Amino acid sequence: MLRMPRIVDEIIRKPEFGIEVLARNSELEPAVVCRGVQVTEHVDPSPWLHRLEIVLTTGISLTTEAQQQAFVEKLVASKALALIYSAYSGELVPERVIEVCRQHGLTLLRPSPVVPLADMAAFINRRILDGHFATQQTSIKLYRQLVALVIRGASIQKILDTVLDILDFSQTMIIDREGIVLAETGQDPEILALMKHTIRSYRRNARGAGQSFQLPFDQSLCNVIPVQLDGSTHAFIAIVSSRALNEHEELMLEQLHAGVALTLSRDLTDNRWRQQSFTRLLEAVHMGEMSSVLVQERLRAANIDEAVEGVLFRVECETDGSHLAQLIRVLENELIGFTDTVAFHEGAVYFFVPDPSERLGEEIYRSLSPLRNPKVIASMRHSGADGFVRAYQEVNMLAQQQLNSVGFFAAESMDTLTILRSNHDPMLRALVARALGPLFDANGREKPELLHTLETFIRSGCRTGPTAEELHVHRHTVTYRLNQITQLVGLDPRSGDSLLEYTAALRLYRAGVVKCEDITDRTR
């Protein structure tokens, strides 16, 4: 923990100074850093004072109560830290000086008359220099620690924890520009609410680039430090304290700012590298120039695990350059926790999500509703290099089919004619699984009464009478079974729109193009 010398305390405790405490501001002294010492006999010392200095005087020039009062008030106005009054010729400190110091909360000390003020001034200067040197050493050591952590890939939470080993702040938060918490101590929801509101007003009011500012918070101060990269604000550091920060604390917080900026820059560089690798992968697959081995290498470079099944998404909207940036930003924010690889390619944005939820595509589409005519297309689930190539073909085939449409479209729900024309094995398997999967039991065995009824019904020209005769059942039984099929699959065999799908699925299954295990694997 950073411990700055409490110079007033040290002066009081030093026996050779023989200090008598006549007035004391014990609340202020620990919170600030003494900036200097000034020995003066001027009636008005303020032109030589700056702030937070210890003033030494014998008071030889202060011959009237009015002068004494004015002298102390000038020190208070100049924000002096303390007054050491060595009364001339061993006399007592004037009562007026004591009264005004106590009234304004200015620490007043009377040393032994045998102690030269020059000795006290030398002691104070030496302790000030010691404190500054210790702070610089701590700052340099901290910076080296933070750089080492960034190089090792540490998180922003680890960066914050390392700085807070030196600084004692119980409520601290680092959030990104979208209000997502990157690191925190205290877990106070009120700070998060305050910071989210602050981010909105920060954008609206266009505050000075990177300038720190303060906000009132629960009888305390919330110090906010924006973190900028590439000319834009990427995050905010919020520190709640009961007082203004002293300059030594501000120096440590500058190191925190540097550590957060370095970490964000590292992650941004990593993301850009993965994004570039992903873009190059898409371009090469588009041109048909890559072998499976090269696709595997590019998948690894883009941080995509080829062993995990995932879905490739293609997103587009009517947009100009600014809306395109907004589209990518919305997607990046929406996909936090799902993927970190989003790339622009051939007029659309692509990203690969490992093992996504069933509703992810629809959720992404809803998040894009503020944009103009968004379209979200999802491939079927694939893994490995060959699977990625097939996923790319699926989303682009579906994009061509839905050229003038808006909404969410999944390759698994592509219309039957397009699937048959594509001769695309995964899509053919998905077609059969969609139409026939519910007609198999949990062990992958056919439900013969339903599957046979469906085949006979189609072969009989979709007429229940001939179907019943061939099956040797009552017409009502055929109708009951067809109703069961409709309920299980969601497609009515008696509808012209569904007939093609059922017919194609049955032929693919009976011809052995799609195996029983392909159907049941996709419906589990």
Side-chain angles (χ1 to χ4, degrees), residues 82-221:
L83 170 62
I84 298 179
Y85 199 109
S86 180
Y88 180 65
S89 299
E91 296 176 2
L92 296 176
V93 176
E95 286 296 328
R96 191 58 179 160
V97 171
I98 298 172
E99 179 185 341
V100 180
C101 284
R102 289 175 177 172
Q103 179 184 343
H104 290 283
L106 177 64
T107 295
L108 174 62
L109 308 178
R110 178 180 181 270
S112 168
V114 299
V115 178
L117 290 184
D119 289 355
M120 297 189 72
F123 171 80
I124 295 169
N125 275 323
R126 186 166 60 251
R127 294 302 293 131
I128 291 171
L129 290 174
D130 289 345
H132 284 302
F133 181 75
T135 300
Q136 291 295 332
Q137 290 293 97
T138 304
S139 177
I140 292 169
K141 181 181 177 181
L142 176 61
Y143 181 75
R144 289 172 177 167
Q145 283 182 288
L146 297 181
V147 169
L149 287 171
V150 172
I151 292 172
R152 290 200 297 267
S155 66
I156 290 180
Q157 182 67 56
K158 180 62 176 176
I159 298 293
L160 176 60
D161 292 343
T162 301
V163 175
L164 293 182
D165 286 341
I166 297 173
L167 294 178
D168 185 18
F169 292 114
S170 59
Q171 292 178 299
T172 309
M173 180 177 290
I174 303 173
I175 64 175
D176 72 6
R177 60 190 174 190
E178 303 300 331
I180 296 171
V181 177
L182 304 177
E184 64 180 329
T185 58
Q187 297 182 334
D188 190 334
E190 293 183 9
I191 299 178
L192 180 58
L194 173 67
M195 288 308 301
K196 286 184 175 180
H197 173 75
T198 300
I199 291 172
R200 290 192 294 268
S201 63
Y202 185 89
R203 289 173 175 166
R204 284 196 305 268
N205 300 334
R207 292 179 184 268
Q211 292 182 359
S212 302
F213 54 94
Q214 292 180 333
L215 300 169
F217 177 75
D218 191 24
Q219 299 181 341
S220 299
L221 287 175

Side-chain angles (χ1 to χ4, degrees), residues 23 71 75 130 385 503:
F71 181 84
L75 298 187
D130 289 345
T503 303

Side-chain angles (χ1 to χ4, degrees), residues 23 51 59 80 94 122 153 181 187 271 316 368 376 407 411 458-459 495 523:
R51 188 168 160 266
V181 177
Q187 297 182 334
N271 288 341
E316 55 187 281
L368 297 177
V376 179
I458 293 173
R459 190 169 56 249
S495 165
T523 55

Side-chain angles (χ1 to χ4, degrees), residues 221-499:
L221 287 175
C222 183
N223 303 273
V224 182
I225 308 169
V227 181
Q228 289 206 312
L229 295 173
D230 296 337
S232 63
T233 302
H234 282 247
F236 296 85
I237 303 171
I239 302 103
V240 176
S241 63
S242 57
R243 53 175 173 77
L245 304 179
N246 64 48
E247 56 197 44
H248 294 275
E249 291 168 333
E250 288 176 349
L251 181 58
M252 296 304 115
L253 290 178
E254 285 181 15
Q255 304 299 2
L256 173 60
H257 177 275
V260 172
L262 285 172
T263 306
L264 291 174
S265 180
R266 177 202 66 197
D267 294 344
L268 187 61
T269 300
D270 289 346
N271 288 341
R272 285 175 177 171
W273 169 253
R274 287 192 291 268
Q275 192 177 69
Q276 289 172 0
S277 299
F278 189 53
T279 302
R280 288 195 293 268
L281 169 63
L282 293 170
E283 290 171 349
V285 170
H286 178 73
M287 299 299 293
E289 296 175 348
M290 296 186 77
S291 66
S292 294
V293 174
L294 289 176
V295 173
Q296 287 174 343
E297 291 178 359
R298 289 286 171 84
L299 286 172
R300 286 193 290 269
N303 201 33
I304 296 174
D305 187 348
E306 58 184 299
V308 177
E309 276 195 342
V311 172
L312 181 67
F313 287 85
R314 171 187 165 122
V315 179
E316 55 187 281
C317 64
E318 294 179 20
T319 179
D320 54 23
S322 62
H323 284 108
L324 176 60
Q326 183 185 3
L327 169 62
I328 294 176
R329 186 169 64 251
V330 169
L331 285 172
E332 288 175 337
N333 294 332
E334 188 69 24
L335 295 170
I336 286 174
F338 296 105
T339 182
D340 50 16
T341 307
V342 178
F344 182 72
H345 166 70
E346 292 291 316
V349 176
Y350 291 77
F351 51 92
F352 187 82
V353 180
D355 194 24
S357 68
E358 295 288 337
R359 313 287 297 179
L360 180 61
E362 295 175 2
E363 291 168 3
I364 292 171
Y365 175 71
R366 284 196 296 271
S367 72
L368 297 177
S369 56
L371 301 180
R372 192 169 58 216
N373 296 334
K375 177 162 50 182
V376 179
I377 299 173
S379 73
M380 289 184 289
R381 290 173 179 261
H382 295 286
S383 63
D386 294 337
F388 184 85
V389 173
R390 288 194 293 269
Y392 181 83
Q393 293 168 347
E394 288 167 9
V395 294
N396 286 286
M397 190 186 310
L398 191 50
Q400 188 63 33
Q401 179 193 356
Q402 305 293 343
L403 192 61
N404 299 313
S405 303
V406 173
F408 170 64
F409 306 96
E412 290 187 342
S413 61
M414 190 181 293
D415 73 82
T416 305
L417 276 177
T418 302
I419 293 175
L420 293 174
R421 287 170 183 161
S422 73
N423 199 29
H424 188 58
D425 286 347
M427 297 177 73
L428 293 174
R429 287 195 293 270
L431 169 66
V432 177
R434 185 172 69 197
L436 303 184
L439 307 184
F440 287 75
D441 64 22
N443 297 316
R445 293 189 295 265
E446 296 179 6
K447 297 177 181 176
E449 73 283 355
L450 296 182
L451 202 62
H452 189 37
T453 298
L454 178 63
E455 287 182 290
T456 306
F457 178 72
I458 293 173
R459 190 169 56 249
S460 301
C462 300
R463 292 176 296 169
T464 55
T467 302
E469 288 179 12
E470 185 172 337
L471 295 174
H472 306 291
V473 297
H474 196 277
R475 290 179 60 176
H476 292 330
T477 302
V478 173
T479 301
Y480 173 75
R481 290 177 181 177
L482 293 175
N483 289 339
Q484 273 191 298
I485 293 170
T486 302
Q487 185 176 3
L488 288 169
V489 179
L491 299 171
D492 189 346
R494 291 157 292 195
S495 165
D497 292 338
S498 304
L499 185 59

Side-chain angles (χ1 to χ4, degrees), residues 429-430 432-433 512-523:
R429 287 195 293 270
V432 177
V513 176
V514 178
K515 308 296 184 185
C516 177
E517 56 268 23
D518 292 331
I519 300 173
T520 54
D521 283 347
R522 297 191 69 85
T523 55

